[in-house]
Amino acid sequence: MDATQLRDFATKYTAAWCSQDAASVAAFFAKDGSLKINTGTASVGRTAITAAAQGFMTAFPDLAVSMDGLTLSGKQAVYRWTLTGRNTGPGGTGNAVRISGYEEWTISPGGLIAESKGHFDEVAYQRQLDASGRGG
């Protein structure tokens, strides 16, 4: 995958995150691909990745993701993003959240994500969720 193809891929991946269709996010992963978010357990396979994406989409019905940057080095890519949304899903706080992070991708021979290691500041995320003061 060259830089132009990767940028097109990442643009479509960003749109999938904004679609409220979690399966469309998982479609960017190889059949046995994995998504790991920070120190959590990796979601392996499209069904598990769909569930992980759905968790964010349910918590943030107005979820919007923007692509902040993209770099490529061989089969490794780094996708930088910003997520915004209001936590109005079931049990949500109602608070607005804006977090930035990145995913380290390993691209499969078939041109899909074989492995994604996602990173964002969980402390800042939790602080925004608890901004009403209910969290301590």
Side-chain angles (χ1 to χ4, degrees), residues 70-109:
L70 186 64
T71 57
L72 175 64
S73 178
K75 290 185 181 182
Q76 300 290 317
V78 176
Y79 167 77
R80 298 189 181 283
W81 51 264
T82 296
L83 175 152
T84 58
R86 187 166 295 277
N87 182 223
T88 57
T93 62
N95 293 335
V97 169
R98 179 183 176 88
I99 56 170
S100 294
Y102 63 97
E103 294 178 38
E104 298 171 287
W105 291 342
T106 300
I107 304 299
S108 74

mmCIF file of all heavy atoms in Angstrom, residues 70-109:
data_model
loop_
_atom_site.group_PDB
_atom_site.id
_atom_site.type_symbol
_atom_site.label_atom_id
_atom_site.label_comp_id
_atom_site.label_asym_id
_atom_site.label_seq_id
_atom_site.Cartn_x
_atom_site.Cartn_y
_atom_site.Cartn_z
ATOM 1 N N LEU A 70 -1.247 10.968 9.470
ATOM 2 C CA LEU A 70 -1.018 9.608 9.014
ATOM 3 C C LEU A 70 0.419 9.503 8.530
ATOM 4 O O LEU A 70 0.882 10.352 7.766
ATOM 5 C CB LEU A 70 -1.985 9.316 7.865
ATOM 6 C CG LEU A 70 -2.038 7.928 7.298
ATOM 7 C CD1 LEU A 70 -2.530 6.920 8.337
ATOM 8 C CD2 LEU A 70 -2.975 7.911 6.087
ATOM 9 N N THR A 71 1.124 8.478 9.009
ATOM 10 C CA THR A 71 2.485 8.227 8.531
ATOM 11 C C THR A 71 2.605 6.755 8.152
ATOM 12 O O THR A 71 1.904 5.904 8.703
ATOM 13 C CB THR A 71 3.557 8.582 9.590
ATOM 14 O OG1 THR A 71 3.288 7.844 10.786
ATOM 15 C CG2 THR A 71 3.556 10.064 9.883
ATOM 16 N N LEU A 72 3.488 6.469 7.221
ATOM 17 C CA LEU A 72 3.686 5.109 6.728
ATOM 18 C C LEU A 72 5.170 4.803 6.689
ATOM 19 O O LEU A 72 5.973 5.619 6.231
ATOM 20 C CB LEU A 72 3.097 4.986 5.312
ATOM 21 C CG LEU A 72 3.308 3.664 4.575
ATOM 22 C CD1 LEU A 72 2.596 2.517 5.285
ATOM 23 C CD2 LEU A 72 2.805 3.791 3.136
ATOM 24 N N SER A 73 5.508 3.604 7.186
ATOM 25 C CA SER A 73 6.880 3.124 7.113
ATOM 26 C C SER A 73 6.811 1.617 6.870
ATOM 27 O O SER A 73 6.537 0.844 7.790
ATOM 28 C CB SER A 73 7.632 3.426 8.408
ATOM 29 O OG SER A 73 8.938 2.911 8.345
ATOM 30 N N GLY A 74 7.001 1.205 5.625
ATOM 31 C CA GLY A 74 6.884 -0.208 5.268
ATOM 32 C C GLY A 74 5.455 -0.680 5.451
ATOM 33 O O GLY A 74 4.521 -0.095 4.910
ATOM 34 N N LYS A 75 5.265 -1.745 6.239
ATOM 35 C CA LYS A 75 3.927 -2.268 6.524
ATOM 36 C C LYS A 75 3.351 -1.657 7.805
ATOM 37 O O LYS A 75 2.290 -2.061 8.254
ATOM 38 C CB LYS A 75 3.969 -3.787 6.651
ATOM 39 C CG LYS A 75 4.235 -4.497 5.345
ATOM 40 C CD LYS A 75 4.148 -5.985 5.516
ATOM 41 C CE LYS A 75 4.438 -6.676 4.190
ATOM 42 N NZ LYS A 75 4.317 -8.123 4.322
ATOM 43 N N GLN A 76 4.044 -0.703 8.382
ATOM 44 C CA GLN A 76 3.598 -0.050 9.608
ATOM 45 C C GLN A 76 3.073 1.347 9.279
ATOM 46 O O GLN A 76 3.676 2.079 8.516
ATOM 47 C CB GLN A 76 4.756 0.093 10.604
ATOM 48 C CG GLN A 76 5.375 -1.225 11.017
ATOM 49 C CD GLN A 76 4.462 -2.043 11.901
ATOM 50 O OE1 GLN A 76 3.838 -1.532 12.808
ATOM 51 N NE2 GLN A 76 4.369 -3.326 11.613
ATOM 52 N N ALA A 77 1.938 1.673 9.888
ATOM 53 C CA ALA A 77 1.358 3.008 9.714
ATOM 54 C C ALA A 77 0.910 3.513 11.077
ATOM 55 O O ALA A 77 0.579 2.726 11.967
ATOM 56 C CB ALA A 77 0.167 2.954 8.765
ATOM 57 N N VAL A 78 0.927 4.823 11.233
ATOM 58 C CA VAL A 78 0.400 5.449 12.439
ATOM 59 C C VAL A 78 -0.700 6.406 12.005
ATOM 60 O O VAL A 78 -0.476 7.322 11.208
ATOM 61 C CB VAL A 78 1.497 6.193 13.237
ATOM 62 C CG1 VAL A 78 0.886 6.908 14.434
ATOM 63 C CG2 VAL A 78 2.572 5.221 13.700
ATOM 64 N N TYR A 79 -1.890 6.141 12.534
ATOM 65 C CA TYR A 79 -3.103 6.907 12.233
ATOM 66 C C TYR A 79 -3.432 7.732 13.476
ATOM 67 O O TYR A 79 -3.665 7.183 14.548
ATOM 68 C CB TYR A 79 -4.219 5.915 11.906
ATOM 69 C CG TYR A 79 -5.620 6.484 11.871
ATOM 70 C CD1 TYR A 79 -6.062 7.235 10.793
ATOM 71 C CD2 TYR A 79 -6.506 6.245 12.906
ATOM 72 C CE1 TYR A 79 -7.354 7.732 10.749
ATOM 73 C CE2 TYR A 79 -7.804 6.734 12.872
ATOM 74 C CZ TYR A 79 -8.219 7.479 11.795
ATOM 75 O OH TYR A 79 -9.501 7.963 11.758
ATOM 76 N N ARG A 80 -3.395 9.059 13.352
ATOM 77 C CA ARG A 80 -3.690 9.963 14.478
ATOM 78 C C ARG A 80 -5.096 10.509 14.318
ATOM 79 O O ARG A 80 -5.494 10.878 13.211
ATOM 80 C CB ARG A 80 -2.675 11.092 14.521
ATOM 81 C CG ARG A 80 -1.272 10.579 14.756
ATOM 82 C CD ARG A 80 -0.249 11.672 15.027
ATOM 83 N NE ARG A 80 1.054 11.106 15.209
ATOM 84 C CZ ARG A 80 1.482 10.486 16.304
ATOM 85 N NH1 ARG A 80 0.671 10.377 17.336
ATOM 86 N NH2 ARG A 80 2.690 9.983 16.375
ATOM 87 N N TRP A 81 -5.828 10.571 15.435
ATOM 88 C CA TRP A 81 -7.240 10.918 15.392
ATOM 89 C C TRP A 81 -7.665 11.756 16.596
ATOM 90 O O TRP A 81 -6.973 11.804 17.608
ATOM 91 C CB TRP A 81 -8.093 9.651 15.346
ATOM 92 C CG TRP A 81 -7.742 8.653 16.429
ATOM 93 C CD1 TRP A 81 -6.903 7.582 16.310
ATOM 94 C CD2 TRP A 81 -8.182 8.658 17.795
ATOM 95 N NE1 TRP A 81 -6.800 6.924 17.512
ATOM 96 C CE2 TRP A 81 -7.586 7.561 18.444
ATOM 97 C CE3 TRP A 81 -9.015 9.484 18.544
ATOM 98 C CZ2 TRP A 81 -7.796 7.267 19.789
ATOM 99 C CZ3 TRP A 81 -9.226 9.192 19.890
ATOM 100 C CH2 TRP A 81 -8.632 8.093 20.492
ATOM 101 N N THR A 82 -8.819 12.392 16.452
ATOM 102 C CA THR A 82 -9.492 13.063 17.563
ATOM 103 C C THR A 82 -10.945 12.600 17.557
ATOM 104 O O THR A 82 -11.588 12.578 16.506
ATOM 105 C CB THR A 82 -9.426 14.596 17.443
ATOM 106 O OG1 THR A 82 -8.049 14.989 17.536
ATOM 107 C CG2 THR A 82 -10.219 15.288 18.541
ATOM 108 N N LEU A 83 -11.418 12.198 18.736
ATOM 109 C CA LEU A 83 -12.796 11.758 18.929
ATOM 110 C C LEU A 83 -13.521 12.824 19.729
ATOM 111 O O LEU A 83 -12.998 13.314 20.731
ATOM 112 C CB LEU A 83 -12.811 10.432 19.692
ATOM 113 C CG LEU A 83 -14.151 9.844 20.115
ATOM 114 C CD1 LEU A 83 -14.036 8.322 20.206
ATOM 115 C CD2 LEU A 83 -14.658 10.387 21.438
ATOM 116 N N THR A 84 -14.712 13.186 19.280
ATOM 117 C CA THR A 84 -15.575 14.086 20.039
ATOM 118 C C THR A 84 -16.955 13.463 20.131
ATOM 119 O O THR A 84 -17.375 12.705 19.252
ATOM 120 C CB THR A 84 -15.690 15.483 19.390
ATOM 121 O OG1 THR A 84 -16.198 15.333 18.059
ATOM 122 C CG2 THR A 84 -14.350 16.206 19.351
ATOM 123 N N GLY A 85 -17.644 13.781 21.199
ATOM 124 C CA GLY A 85 -19.006 13.300 21.360
ATOM 125 C C GLY A 85 -19.520 13.625 22.748
ATOM 126 O O GLY A 85 -18.758 13.994 23.639
ATOM 127 N N ARG A 86 -20.810 13.480 22.900
ATOM 128 C CA ARG A 86 -21.456 13.683 24.191
ATOM 129 C C ARG A 86 -21.888 12.309 24.700
ATOM 130 O O ARG A 86 -22.538 11.554 23.996
ATOM 131 C CB ARG A 86 -22.650 14.625 24.072
ATOM 132 C CG ARG A 86 -23.243 14.993 25.423
ATOM 133 C CD ARG A 86 -24.190 16.184 25.326
ATOM 134 N NE ARG A 86 -23.510 17.400 24.938
ATOM 135 C CZ ARG A 86 -22.845 18.213 25.762
ATOM 136 N NH1 ARG A 86 -22.748 17.928 27.035
ATOM 137 N NH2 ARG A 86 -22.277 19.306 25.309
ATOM 138 N N ASN A 87 -21.511 11.995 25.920
ATOM 139 C CA ASN A 87 -21.762 10.690 26.527
ATOM 140 C C ASN A 87 -23.220 10.583 26.982
ATOM 141 O O ASN A 87 -23.536 10.646 28.154
ATOM 142 C CB ASN A 87 -20.790 10.483 27.693
ATOM 143 C CG ASN A 87 -20.920 9.141 28.363
ATOM 144 O OD1 ASN A 87 -20.894 9.056 29.577
ATOM 145 N ND2 ASN A 87 -21.039 8.089 27.593
ATOM 146 N N THR A 88 -24.110 10.422 25.990
ATOM 147 C CA THR A 88 -25.548 10.369 26.278
ATOM 148 C C THR A 88 -26.134 8.978 26.074
ATOM 149 O O THR A 88 -27.352 8.813 26.125
ATOM 150 C CB THR A 88 -26.321 11.376 25.407
ATOM 151 O OG1 THR A 88 -26.051 11.099 24.028
ATOM 152 C CG2 THR A 88 -25.925 12.809 25.737
ATOM 153 N N GLY A 89 -25.281 7.984 25.872
ATOM 154 C CA GLY A 89 -25.762 6.617 25.738
ATOM 155 C C GLY A 89 -26.274 6.113 27.080
ATOM 156 O O GLY A 89 -26.223 6.830 28.092
ATOM 157 N N PRO A 90 -26.793 4.889 27.131
ATOM 158 C CA PRO A 90 -27.330 4.332 28.372
ATOM 159 C C PRO A 90 -26.337 4.462 29.533
ATOM 160 O O PRO A 90 -25.182 4.060 29.411
ATOM 161 C CB PRO A 90 -27.574 2.860 28.021
ATOM 162 C CG PRO A 90 -27.738 2.850 26.534
ATOM 163 C CD PRO A 90 -26.843 3.946 26.026
ATOM 164 N N GLY A 91 -26.779 5.056 30.627
ATOM 165 C CA GLY A 91 -25.919 5.246 31.790
ATOM 166 C C GLY A 91 -24.875 6.332 31.624
ATOM 167 O O GLY A 91 -23.997 6.490 32.476
ATOM 168 N N GLY A 92 -24.943 7.090 30.548
ATOM 169 C CA GLY A 92 -23.942 8.129 30.276
ATOM 170 C C GLY A 92 -24.041 9.300 31.229
ATOM 171 O O GLY A 92 -25.055 9.512 31.893
ATOM 172 N N THR A 93 -22.978 10.075 31.265
ATOM 173 C CA THR A 93 -22.917 11.248 32.143
ATOM 174 C C THR A 93 -23.529 12.487 31.500
ATOM 175 O O THR A 93 -23.794 13.467 32.182
ATOM 176 C CB THR A 93 -21.456 11.580 32.505
ATOM 177 O OG1 THR A 93 -20.754 11.908 31.290
ATOM 178 C CG2 THR A 93 -20.769 10.413 33.204
ATOM 179 N N GLY A 94 -23.685 12.457 30.176
ATOM 180 C CA GLY A 94 -24.165 13.629 29.455
ATOM 181 C C GLY A 94 -23.063 14.609 29.122
ATOM 182 O O GLY A 94 -23.294 15.621 28.459
ATOM 183 N N ASN A 95 -21.843 14.329 29.570
ATOM 184 C CA ASN A 95 -20.727 15.241 29.353
ATOM 185 C C ASN A 95 -20.116 15.101 27.963
ATOM 186 O O ASN A 95 -20.079 14.008 27.403
ATOM 187 C CB ASN A 95 -19.633 15.004 30.402
ATOM 188 C CG ASN A 95 -20.092 15.388 31.785
ATOM 189 O OD1 ASN A 95 -20.979 16.218 31.958
ATOM 190 N ND2 ASN A 95 -19.495 14.780 32.791
ATOM 191 N N ALA A 96 -19.639 16.229 27.465
ATOM 192 C CA ALA A 96 -18.922 16.237 26.191
ATOM 193 C C ALA A 96 -17.493 15.754 26.425
ATOM 194 O O ALA A 96 -16.885 16.041 27.458
ATOM 195 C CB ALA A 96 -18.910 17.637 25.596
ATOM 196 N N VAL A 97 -16.982 15.016 25.458
ATOM 197 C CA VAL A 97 -15.626 14.481 25.521
ATOM 198 C C VAL A 97 -14.912 14.827 24.221
ATOM 199 O O VAL A 97 -15.496 14.779 23.146
ATOM 200 C CB VAL A 97 -15.669 12.948 25.724
ATOM 201 C CG1 VAL A 97 -14.304 12.325 25.530
ATOM 202 C CG2 VAL A 97 -16.220 12.605 27.090
ATOM 203 N N ARG A 98 -13.646 15.189 24.363
ATOM 204 C CA ARG A 98 -12.769 15.412 23.209
ATOM 205 C C ARG A 98 -11.418 14.821 23.584
ATOM 206 O O ARG A 98 -10.749 15.333 24.488
ATOM 207 C CB ARG A 98 -12.639 16.898 22.893
ATOM 208 C CG ARG A 98 -11.704 17.169 21.714
ATOM 209 C CD ARG A 98 -11.534 18.673 21.466
ATOM 210 N NE ARG A 98 -10.596 18.929 20.426
ATOM 211 C CZ ARG A 98 -10.879 19.005 19.122
ATOM 212 N NH1 ARG A 98 -12.117 18.832 18.725
ATOM 213 N NH2 ARG A 98 -9.938 19.243 18.239
ATOM 214 N N ILE A 99 -11.048 13.747 22.912
ATOM 215 C CA ILE A 99 -9.764 13.109 23.169
ATOM 216 C C ILE A 99 -9.052 12.862 21.847
ATOM 217 O O ILE A 99 -9.681 12.636 20.827
ATOM 218 C CB ILE A 99 -9.905 11.773 23.938
ATOM 219 C CG1 ILE A 99 -10.831 10.796 23.191
ATOM 220 C CG2 ILE A 99 -10.376 12.001 25.366
ATOM 221 C CD1 ILE A 99 -10.839 9.398 23.737
ATOM 222 N N SER A 100 -7.752 12.937 21.908
ATOM 223 C CA SER A 100 -6.930 12.625 20.748
ATOM 224 C C SER A 100 -6.078 11.413 21.072
ATOM 225 O O SER A 100 -5.750 11.157 22.240
ATOM 226 C CB SER A 100 -6.041 13.810 20.373
ATOM 227 O OG SER A 100 -6.841 14.888 19.935
ATOM 228 N N GLY A 101 -5.741 10.674 20.046
ATOM 229 C CA GLY A 101 -4.914 9.497 20.231
ATOM 230 C C GLY A 101 -4.369 9.029 18.902
ATOM 231 O O GLY A 101 -4.396 9.763 17.906
ATOM 232 N N TYR A 102 -3.887 7.804 18.898
ATOM 233 C CA TYR A 102 -3.344 7.261 17.663
ATOM 234 C C TYR A 102 -3.441 5.752 17.686
ATOM 235 O O TYR A 102 -3.569 5.133 18.742
ATOM 236 C CB TYR A 102 -1.909 7.707 17.431
ATOM 237 C CG TYR A 102 -0.921 7.229 18.482
ATOM 238 C CD1 TYR A 102 -0.153 6.087 18.261
ATOM 239 C CD2 TYR A 102 -0.767 7.904 19.688
ATOM 240 C CE1 TYR A 102 0.750 5.644 19.214
ATOM 241 C CE2 TYR A 102 0.131 7.475 20.644
ATOM 242 C CZ TYR A 102 0.886 6.345 20.410
ATOM 243 O OH TYR A 102 1.770 5.890 21.362
ATOM 244 N N GLU A 103 -3.402 5.167 16.503
ATOM 245 C CA GLU A 103 -3.368 3.728 16.332
ATOM 246 C C GLU A 103 -2.117 3.383 15.535
ATOM 247 O O GLU A 103 -1.826 4.020 14.530
ATOM 248 C CB GLU A 103 -4.605 3.226 15.580
ATOM 249 C CG GLU A 103 -5.899 3.413 16.329
ATOM 250 C CD GLU A 103 -7.109 2.945 15.544
ATOM 251 O OE1 GLU A 103 -7.018 1.914 14.829
ATOM 252 O OE2 GLU A 103 -8.153 3.610 15.641
ATOM 253 N N GLU A 104 -1.411 2.379 16.005
ATOM 254 C CA GLU A 104 -0.273 1.826 15.277
ATOM 255 C C GLU A 104 -0.795 0.617 14.509
ATOM 256 O O GLU A 104 -1.238 -0.352 15.118
ATOM 257 C CB GLU A 104 0.819 1.393 16.245
ATOM 258 C CG GLU A 104 1.375 2.538 17.067
ATOM 259 C CD GLU A 104 2.299 2.040 18.159
ATOM 260 O OE1 GLU A 104 1.781 1.469 19.143
ATOM 261 O OE2 GLU A 104 3.524 2.217 18.016
ATOM 262 N N TRP A 105 -0.781 0.729 13.191
ATOM 263 C CA TRP A 105 -1.325 -0.327 12.348
ATOM 264 C C TRP A 105 -0.224 -1.172 11.734
ATOM 265 O O TRP A 105 0.783 -0.642 11.260
ATOM 266 C CB TRP A 105 -2.098 0.259 11.178
ATOM 267 C CG TRP A 105 -3.374 0.952 11.485
ATOM 268 C CD1 TRP A 105 -4.121 0.858 12.621
ATOM 269 C CD2 TRP A 105 -4.080 1.841 10.609
ATOM 270 N NE1 TRP A 105 -5.253 1.638 12.508
ATOM 271 C CE2 TRP A 105 -5.253 2.250 11.280
ATOM 272 C CE3 TRP A 105 -3.842 2.326 9.340
ATOM 273 C CZ2 TRP A 105 -6.187 3.121 10.719
ATOM 274 C CZ3 TRP A 105 -4.760 3.200 8.772
ATOM 275 C CH2 TRP A 105 -5.924 3.586 9.457
ATOM 276 N N THR A 106 -0.454 -2.474 11.686
ATOM 277 C CA THR A 106 0.302 -3.376 10.833
ATOM 278 C C THR A 106 -0.664 -3.765 9.727
ATOM 279 O O THR A 106 -1.771 -4.250 10.002
ATOM 280 C CB THR A 106 0.773 -4.630 11.598
ATOM 281 O OG1 THR A 106 1.601 -4.205 12.687
ATOM 282 C CG2 THR A 106 1.556 -5.562 10.692
ATOM 283 N N ILE A 107 -0.273 -3.513 8.499
ATOM 284 C CA ILE A 107 -1.137 -3.767 7.346
ATOM 285 C C ILE A 107 -0.891 -5.187 6.834
ATOM 286 O O ILE A 107 0.255 -5.600 6.655
ATOM 287 C CB ILE A 107 -0.877 -2.732 6.222
ATOM 288 C CG1 ILE A 107 -1.050 -1.297 6.750
ATOM 289 C CG2 ILE A 107 -1.785 -2.997 5.028
ATOM 290 C CD1 ILE A 107 -2.434 -0.961 7.272
ATOM 291 N N SER A 108 -1.982 -5.913 6.608
ATOM 292 C CA SER A 108 -1.891 -7.291 6.117
ATOM 293 C C SER A 108 -1.523 -7.306 4.639
ATOM 294 O O SER A 108 -1.670 -6.295 3.948
ATOM 295 C CB SER A 108 -3.230 -8.001 6.319
ATOM 296 O OG SER A 108 -4.175 -7.537 5.360
ATOM 297 N N PRO A 109 -1.079 -8.456 4.123
ATOM 298 C CA PRO A 109 -0.794 -8.559 2.685
ATOM 299 C C PRO A 109 -2.018 -8.230 1.825
ATOM 300 O O PRO A 109 -1.877 -7.770 0.699
ATOM 301 C CB PRO A 109 -0.369 -10.025 2.507
ATOM 302 C CG PRO A 109 0.160 -10.431 3.845
ATOM 303 C CD PRO A 109 -0.698 -9.684 4.843
#
